[in-house]
Amino acid sequence: MPSPASTLRAADQIAYLDQAASSDPGRRYKRQLLTALDLRPGHTVLDVGCGPGTDLPAMAVAVGGDGAVLGIDHDPEMVEQARHRTAAYPQVSVRSGDAHALPCDDASVDRARTDRVLQHLADPGQAVAELRRVVRPGGLVALADPDWDTLAIDAVDTATSRAYARFIVSDVVRNADIGRQLGRLLADAGFEVVAVDATVAMFRDYDEAEAVLRMPAVARHAWQSGALDEASARSWLASLTDGPFLAAVTFFTAIGRVPKPRASARASET
Ligand SMILES: C[S@@+](CC[C@H](N)C(=O)[O-])C[C@H]1O[C@@H](n2cnc3c(N)ncnc32)[C@H](O)[C@@H]1O
């Protein structure tokens, strides 16, 4: 889920994304997002920042053989992996492209989504404006991103928990508080905001959390860069596996619709 993944090499990132998607919180919000997109047979749907293609097969099934699913990612290794994983679905194509300048015509898709992509982008507002450009009037867009500024990890050493969370916000994730902004980004781009939801991704099992949060790797990164004291961080890490564990982060989703032109506006155009 997070972008503690940004500390990983490509193959590890793919494994990381698979683990995050198969965690309980991951499966839950992905199911909700798919339902909210309201895909119908024959739809054309765009997945911007599709990664290794995790969600493309489910969308391919939903739009059927008469529909089309287009995955876009700027990372060639993700594109290759997504193509490999969707080879059995002729309605899926995967292209290399940048979320800030989508390789798609205006009003050419019925649905579009970004899933944990905006947190990484140089200009999330531009990416949402691009979604507005390519989705047809009446079409829907779904955005999902965590808000790392809400990360809470329980430990007796709360000072290190706080310093660790601050490090993620300031040094690890580019747009750490993007989650809370999703509805505003949709409105600013000219979408009608249909829904904004927040859920808590909570982990009470250290191993499940570790698959997503990568605490030792991020903590090492933090002490190497001087953001955490190494001895305190090591004993904080050890304490996390010693007794009940709890970590939680708020995860946001937002659904937008492209307004249809009003009848009077349409009449005056003809
Ligand atoms: C956290 S992963 C999420 C992947 C996928 N959406 C999922 O839910 O499994 C973020 C993805 O966004 C892609 N990405 C980051 N910046 C991008 C950009 N400017 N244009 C296109 N893709 C981008 C990354 O290569 C990565 O595959």
Side-chain angles (χ1 to χ4, degrees):
M1 192 178 291
S3 236
S6 37
T7 58
L8 302 174
R9 288 188 305 273
D12 294 337
Q13 281 207 26
I14 291 172
Y16 168 86
L17 289 169
D18 287 344
Q19 281 177 324
S22 63
S23 68
D24 278 349
R27 279 204 308 269
R28 212 174 309 128
Y29 89 81
K30 278 183 179 292
R31 223 176 13 246
Q32 285 168 359
L33 211 59
L34 188 64
T35 304
L37 262 185
D38 190 26
L39 294 176
R40 306 283 173 85
H43 270 166
T44 295
V45 56
L46 175 65
D47 189 13
V48 178
C50 65
T54 316
D55 301 292
L56 301 179
M59 292 193 280
V61 169
V63 302
D66 292 335
V69 179
L70 174 58
I72 287 176
D73 206 284
H74 74 161
D75 180 334
E77 298 194 52
M78 293 295 178
V79 170
E80 189 190 325
Q81 185 63 217
R83 282 183 180 148
H84 175 69
R85 290 184 181 186
T86 55
Y89 299 90
Q91 67 271 52
V92 177
S93 55
V94 184
R95 256 190 249 167
S96 182
D98 184 356
H100 300 96
L102 293 172
C104 304
D105 292 337
D106 294 0
S108 59
V109 306
D110 300 293
R111 303 287 189 261
R113 72 194 282 281
T114 63
D115 184 349
R116 292 166 306 142
V117 176
L118 299 176
Q119 61 180 333
H120 300 294
L121 300 182
D123 188 347
Q126 168 63 21
V128 180
E130 274 293 270
L131 295 174
R132 172 72 180 78
R133 178 181 69 76
V134 303
V135 175
R136 69 161 170 76
L140 294 173
V141 67
L143 311 179
D145 261 297
D147 192 308
W148 291 107
D149 216 355
T150 65
L151 177 64
I153 300 178
D154 180 42
V156 173
D157 179 1
T158 49
T160 300
S161 283
R162 283 200 189 105
Y164 175 91
R166 269 202 309 276
F167 178 71
I168 291 199
V169 169
S170 60
D171 285 68
V172 179
V173 184
R174 183 181 231 161
N175 306 309
D177 62 349
I178 195 80
R180 70 192 68 175
Q181 300 175 31
L182 297 181
R184 174 160 53 85
L185 286 167
L186 285 175
D188 287 352
F191 286 97
E192 174 196 332
V193 182
V194 176
V196 177
D197 275 310
T199 53
V200 176
M202 185 170 73
F203 301 92
R204 296 185 62 202
D205 177 79
Y206 176 85
D207 291 332
E208 193 183 347
E210 172 46 20
V212 175
L213 300 173
R214 306 276 172 173
M215 291 162 289
V218 174
R220 193 176 320 111
H221 193 39
W223 76 59
Q224 284 168 353
S225 64
L228 288 182
D229 167 67
E230 180 172 349
S232 307
R234 282 187 186 278
S235 85
W236 177 79
L237 280 173
S239 78
L240 298 181
T241 55
D242 178 25
F245 175 84
L246 187 140
V249 63
T250 308
F251 198 86
F252 288 86
T253 58
I255 310 298
R257 180 181 283 113
V258 176
K260 286 189 176 165
R262 282 170 309 163
S264 56
R266 281 203 304 269
S268 65
E269 282 164 13
T270 55

